[in-house]
């Protein structure tokens, strides 16, 4: 359970996945659930009021009896498979990261702070939550900005262009690598 989502299950294909539906159907909530599964709600061991408010905002609602927890399976570009499990129902947010090939709990390899703060996604993906959100998600507002009065084909082209622009490497590690290359070339 996460916000309006209860017993939700989806499989994503490589590349662009499009979710559409009425207002309040859970599209943005799904984006936030993915981010919360990968990054948690808390950036540090000390809970800030805005982080606590964000966690409270997505408690199951509208009479949803689902527990406030989830799991997310993902594959890295090198083929390694993981499952993250988080229980958001407590302030401690128990978090586990499972290597799906060996079945081992690899959470300790990443350190474990308070409030479920396990920085595995930052290390595995090489980007912060804010960079991930900028790269991984195209919001309805972004599509509407370019699609106002457009034909279906133009809307499709706009979505493809937004997806292509979000794939660029904006991680700090990538930026440092590019800067090192320029320094070597320029001197």
């Amino acid at each position: 359970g996460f916000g309006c989502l209860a017993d939700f299950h989806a499989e994503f294909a490589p590349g662009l996945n499009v979710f559409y539906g009425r207002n309040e159907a859970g599209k943005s909530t799904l984006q936030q659930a993915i981010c919360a599964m990968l990054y948690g709600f808390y950036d540090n061991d000390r809970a800030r009021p805005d982080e606590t408010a964000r966690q409270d905002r997505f408690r199951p609602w509208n009479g949803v009896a689902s527990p406030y927890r989830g799991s997310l399976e993902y594959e890295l570009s090198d083929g390694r498979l993981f499952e993250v499990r988080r229980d958001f129902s407590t302030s401690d947010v128990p978090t586990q990261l499972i290597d799906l090939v060996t079945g081992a709990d690899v959470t300790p390899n990443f350190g474990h702070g308070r409030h479920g703060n396990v920085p595995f996604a930052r290390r595995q993906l090489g980007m912060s939550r804010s960079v991930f959100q900028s790269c991984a998600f195209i919001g309805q507002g972004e599509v509407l900005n370019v699609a106002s009065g457009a034909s279906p084909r133009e809307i499709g082209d706009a979505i493809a262009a937004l997806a292509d622009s979000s794939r660029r490497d904006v991680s700090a590690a990538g930026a440092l690598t590019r800067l090192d290359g320029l320094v070597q070339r320029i001197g």
Side-chain angles (χ1 to χ4, degrees):
F2 196 95
C4 65
L5 302 175
D7 297 322
F8 180 83
H9 178 267
E11 292 195 27
F12 297 90
L16 181 66
N17 289 264
V18 177
F19 285 82
Y20 64 94
R22 302 177 332 272
N23 286 343
E24 302 301 318
K27 302 175 301 290
S28 297
T29 300
L30 176 58
Q31 289 180 340
Q32 292 304 310
I34 292 168
C35 278
M37 292 306 302
L38 292 172
Y39 290 92
F41 287 112
Y42 300 93
D43 292 327
N44 299 297
D45 286 346
R46 178 171 236 167
R48 293 190 331 245
D50 62 315
E51 294 168 328
T52 302
R54 185 172 48 208
Q55 181 180 3
D56 288 341
R57 176 179 173 215
F58 290 105
R59 288 192 183 283
W61 50 276
N62 287 347
V64 175
S66 297
Y68 191 18
R69 66 177 179 230
S71 67
L72 175 71
E73 293 181 11
Y74 61 96
E75 180 178 358
L76 298 177
S77 61
D78 63 8
R80 292 183 295 157
L81 300 167
F82 294 93
E83 178 184 11
V84 59
R85 301 172 186 160
R86 290 190 191 260
D87 183 346
F88 299 110
S89 62
T90 69
S91 62
D92 187 42
V93 188
T95 301
Q96 276 189 305
L97 184 64
I98 307 298
D99 180 319
L100 289 176
V101 172
T102 65
D105 182 348
V106 296
T107 312
N109 299 350
F110 296 94
H112 188 78
R114 294 180 64 204
H115 309 293
N117 188 11
V118 180
F120 66 89
R122 185 179 200 80
R123 287 190 24 210
Q124 289 179 330
L125 303 177
M127 62 183 82
S128 67
R129 172 200 323 270
S130 61
V131 172
F132 176 81
Q133 286 179 301
S134 297
C135 294
F137 301 129
I138 301 168
Q140 178 179 341
E142 293 172 285
V143 174
L144 291 177
N145 284 341
V146 295
S148 180
S151 71
R153 182 182 182 116
E154 291 169 323
I155 293 171
D157 290 346
I159 291 171
L162 286 167
D164 285 342
S165 69
S166 66
R167 275 194 218 111
R168 65 181 179 258
D169 182 10
V170 295
S171 70
L176 289 173
T177 301
R178 287 192 302 277
L179 284 173
D180 285 342
L182 287 171
V183 166
Q184 288 178 355
R185 192 171 51 160
I186 297 170

